[in-house]
Amino acid sequence: MPRYALLILPAFNRVYGESAARLTRAELAVFSARALDVDVVGSEETRIGGVPYVTFETARPLADADVALLSNLSSVYVVFGMEGELLRPLAMRPRDRLSSDLITIQKYAGKTNEHFTKLLLNVTALAGDKGLGDGLSVFDPLCGRGTTLNQALMYGYDAYGIDVDGKDFEAYTGFIKTWLRNKRLKHTAETVPVRRERALVGRRLNVTFGLSKEAVKAGDVQHLTVVNADTLKSRDFFKPRSFDLLVTDAPYGVQHGSKGGSGLSRSPLELLRQAVPVWAELLRPGGAMGIAWNTYGGTRAELGEILLDAGLQVMEYPDFEHWVDQAIVRDILVAHKP
């Protein structure tokens, strides 16, 4: 059987790096079940020359399209075909269409690891009917300073977010406008107040950009919208069935808590019980919702019940649970909207 090896990217975060190979195996299992034309069998963590790899076998050789899909694995650096003791690099074609510093340049306390953000987006997309296809719209209803939004933009998707924190909104607005100018991308960007019956209810950042003037003229543009308002009021700013994917990292109760109507709480469940039904209305049929959360704040069964009650079908995915620090053990739950 053909054998392959995935060279694992060194993680900026040492703790995440220790989990990267195991998480890559779980992510690879989702790609195998939901996207690849050939089944992956016998994946394992392997050290070659003292460097961590994930190795696996397939029933037949990977097609170019399969290698292109695997190029998007969140922690993969190179895909190799194994020929005895030799490794042959395969031509990778990741979806990324923007400079990687869009993801890496921002540094702040509480930022979600960018490899994990990509993993969460990947496995959520693969639960949707369109997979990792073109032209998707991604919504992060707790977007903070935009890590998920930036990863969606990297893939060529349209990105939408909402967050109640005014400082995060201002920080992300300043960052993305500066980044677009520095990259000399043809764009428009404006921040406007949002009013209802003359009362100010939020602020909205609207961005449209293309990779070149020619692309913009041809209509090949991406859209980014971020609203500074309460996520429970998302329906006031976005129409039902607007998004293919909803991808979010729920508050861990450590860095900034979660607000579910009765003050600050360490558990995200109170917030999610109120928010998930609102978020589910914004998903298109065939779309998917992926939520990362701290298991110390609620069990998989409890979160699964919230998603089921909102009319979603919870996916039977591999184990993505991993240790972050003494107060956070993070996991992922993904659901499909019929």
Side-chain angles (χ1 to χ4, degrees), residues 157-228:
Y157 299 154
D158 292 334
Y160 303 83
I162 188 168
D163 200 281
V164 73
D165 191 312
K167 290 183 179 179
D168 282 350
F169 176 83
E170 291 166 3
Y172 183 66
T173 296
F175 164 74
I176 198 67
K177 287 182 176 180
T178 300
W179 188 86
L180 288 165
R181 286 196 301 269
N182 289 343
K183 296 300 177 182
R184 299 183 179 180
L185 295 177
K186 181 69 174 177
H187 70 279
T188 61
E190 61 173 358
T191 304
V192 297
V194 181
R195 301 183 185 276
R196 298 284 187 273
E197 299 178 355
R198 298 184 180 180
L200 181 66
V201 295
R203 294 177 291 171
R204 183 192 297 263
L205 168 68
N206 295 314
V207 176
T208 301
F209 70 93
L211 299 185
S212 64
K213 291 181 180 179
E214 293 74 23
V216 173
K217 288 181 180 179
D220 180 12
V221 296
Q222 290 177 249
H223 301 281
L224 167 69
T225 295
V226 184
V227 174
N228 177 208

Side-chain angles (χ1 to χ4, degrees), residues 65-305:
D66 290 328
V67 177
L69 281 166
L70 293 178
S71 302
N72 297 297
L73 285 165
S74 60
S75 291
V76 72
Y77 188 37
V78 186
V79 181
F80 291 101
M82 301 183 71
E83 300 176 357
E85 295 183 355
L86 302 179
L87 300 178
R88 178 171 55 86
L90 304 181
M92 298 176 64
R93 290 187 289 121
R95 291 197 61 91
D96 296 347
R97 56 186 265 154
L98 300 171
S99 171
S100 62
D101 62 358
L102 175 63
I103 303 292
T104 60
I105 198 171
Q106 287 181 292
K107 307 293 183 187
Y108 53 89
K111 180 182 179 182
T112 304
N113 180 280
E114 49 260 29
H115 295 177
F116 176 76
T117 299
K118 187 174 182 180
L119 184 154
L120 178 59
L121 177 59
N122 282 345
V123 298
T124 304
L126 293 179
D129 289 355
K130 298 179 181 178
L132 280 171
D134 296 326
L136 300 186
S137 59
V138 179
F139 178 52
D140 183 349
L142 300 165
C143 67
R145 297 194 188 184
T147 306
T148 301
L149 305 181
N150 291 342
Q151 182 58 59
L153 294 176
M154 284 287 290
Y155 275 1
Y157 299 154
D158 292 334
Y160 303 83
I162 188 168
D163 200 281
V164 73
D165 191 312
K167 290 183 179 179
D168 282 350
F169 176 83
E170 291 166 3
Y172 183 66
T173 296
F175 164 74
I176 198 67
K177 287 182 176 180
T178 300
W179 188 86
L180 288 165
R181 286 196 301 269
N182 289 343
K183 296 300 177 182
R184 299 183 179 180
L185 295 177
K186 181 69 174 177
H187 70 279
T188 61
E190 61 173 358
T191 304
V192 297
V194 181
R195 301 183 185 276
R196 298 284 187 273
E197 299 178 355
R198 298 184 180 180
L200 181 66
V201 295
R203 294 177 291 171
R204 183 192 297 263
L205 168 68
N206 295 314
V207 176
T208 301
F209 70 93
L211 299 185
S212 64
K213 291 181 180 179
E214 293 74 23
V216 173
K217 288 181 180 179
D220 180 12
V221 296
Q222 290 177 249
H223 301 281
L224 167 69
T225 295
V226 184
V227 174
N228 177 208
D230 188 341
T231 190
L232 299 179
K233 298 180 180 178
S234 296
R235 279 286 310 274
D236 293 346
F237 302 95
F238 302 104
K239 296 179 180 179
R241 302 186 177 191
S242 292
F243 308 117
D244 299 297
L245 305 176
L246 187 148
V247 181
T248 199
D249 207 6
Y252 296 150
V254 177
Q255 181 62 32
H256 43 61
S258 68
K259 299 174 183 178
S262 59
L264 203 63
S265 169
R266 284 183 61 86
S267 171
L269 293 182
E270 182 181 355
L271 170 66
L272 294 175
R273 286 192 181 97
Q274 297 179 59
V276 166
V278 177
W279 299 345
E281 292 181 8
L282 298 174
L283 271 180
R284 295 177 179 136
M289 182 183 299
I291 300 175
W293 87 105
N294 181 9
T295 61
Y296 287 146
T299 67
R300 170 174 287 270
E302 288 172 319
L303 181 53
E305 184 177 352

